[in-house]
Amino acid sequence: MEIIILFKNLTSLTIAGGSAIGIVDIPFNELGIPSSSIKGVMRTAISNLLPNASCGEIEPGRLEKAHGSSPCDVCKLFGYPNSKDGACFTILVDQVKEEKHLITRVSIDDKTQKAKDGSLFTQQIIKPGVEFKATIIYKCENDAKLFNLLLYSLSALRYWRLGRNAMIDVKVLTKKDEVCKKIKCNDETEKLFDSLSDYLWG
Ligand SMILES: [Zn+2]
């Protein structure tokens, strides 16, 4: 099943290619929003907001111990090393082609709160208000609980930081009725869907 979602960037967003520190005008990689970052941020956000759903581990050795006889819900949904079934979903983020801007920043030393020597650098940013689309390909259709957890993870993105400081909003474009034909939606699913049918922050 495919679910189309839309992200809206609320702040100046730098994810890839922005962290190099050096002299002005260093060449940058093409700015992109890696799908794996979005998925990683969803996982971190939901593990922090719903700690009971997550084993809190990412190291393969410790995971096995934490899981015992059955993996935690977050690992079932997002996948984990040596998993037989793989993750319940993948996410593909459309790349933002336009709307990139260069800004010049100065790197501040965390300890002294002063600019570091030679620390002027440029970053490519995506301006606030830019929207980008993503497709979630979901395969655990017979598990409403895990699907609800996916919706919680999307909601959690609205309260989390992407990259260093950026905030994003998210809404689901695919209609609830369409999804509930394929998944046994319960009251919780419907409520989550309603809350995701439009942007939270406007
Ligand atoms: Zn786990």
Side-chain angles (χ1 to χ4, degrees), residues 9-24:
N9 175 33
L10 301 175
T11 49
S12 292
L13 179 64
T14 28
I15 299 208
S19 60
I21 291 173
I23 320 293
V24 190

Side-chain angles (χ1 to χ4, degrees), residues 43 53-57 63 66-67 71-76 80:
R43 186 181 192 134
S54 168
C55 63
E57 298 290 354
L63 267 174
H67 285 164
C72 69
D73 287 340
V74 165
C75 285
K76 275 190 216 161
Y80 59 100

Side-chain angles (χ1 to χ4, degrees), residues 11-153:
T11 49
S12 292
L13 179 64
T14 28
I15 299 208
S19 60
I21 291 173
I23 320 293
V24 190
D25 293 332
I26 28 174
F28 283 92
N29 302 327
E30 190 64 9
L31 182 72
I33 300 158
S35 302
S36 58
S37 309
I38 298 273
K39 196 173 174 186
V41 175
M42 284 170 71
R43 186 181 192 134
T44 310
I46 196 62
S47 300
N48 279 276
L49 292 173
L50 289 178
N52 290 341
S54 168
C55 63
E57 298 290 354
I58 41 169
E59 259 182 62
R62 299 228 295 257
L63 267 174
E64 239 165 81
K65 222 177 183 183
H67 285 164
S69 57
S70 162
C72 69
D73 287 340
V74 165
C75 285
K76 275 190 216 161
L77 180 64
F78 288 86
Y80 59 100
N82 308 327
S83 146
K84 275 182 263 126
D85 308 317
C88 278
F89 77 100
T90 44
I91 184 164
L92 303 167
V93 181
D94 285 7
Q95 292 310 315
V96 179
K97 300 226 163 57
E98 317 274 319
E99 308 280 354
K100 290 177 205 161
H101 297 264
L102 274 180
I103 54 164
T104 304
R105 285 187 163 158
V106 74
S107 172
I108 303 291
D109 190 310
D110 286 338
K111 282 195 196 113
T112 62
Q113 292 298 307
K114 284 184 185 146
K116 291 180 193 162
D117 279 346
S119 64
L120 206 57
F121 64 104
T122 51
Q123 283 187 319
Q124 264 193 323
I125 60 157
I126 299 170
K127 278 211 300 190
V130 171
E131 293 178 298
F132 49 101
K133 213 169 80 175
T135 307
I136 289 176
I137 300 151
Y138 187 79
K139 66 166 200 187
C140 301
E141 273 100 345
N142 52 3
D143 196 327
K145 192 178 160 205
L146 286 182
F147 186 70
N148 287 351
L149 190 61
L150 173 73
L151 297 181
Y152 274 121
S153 311

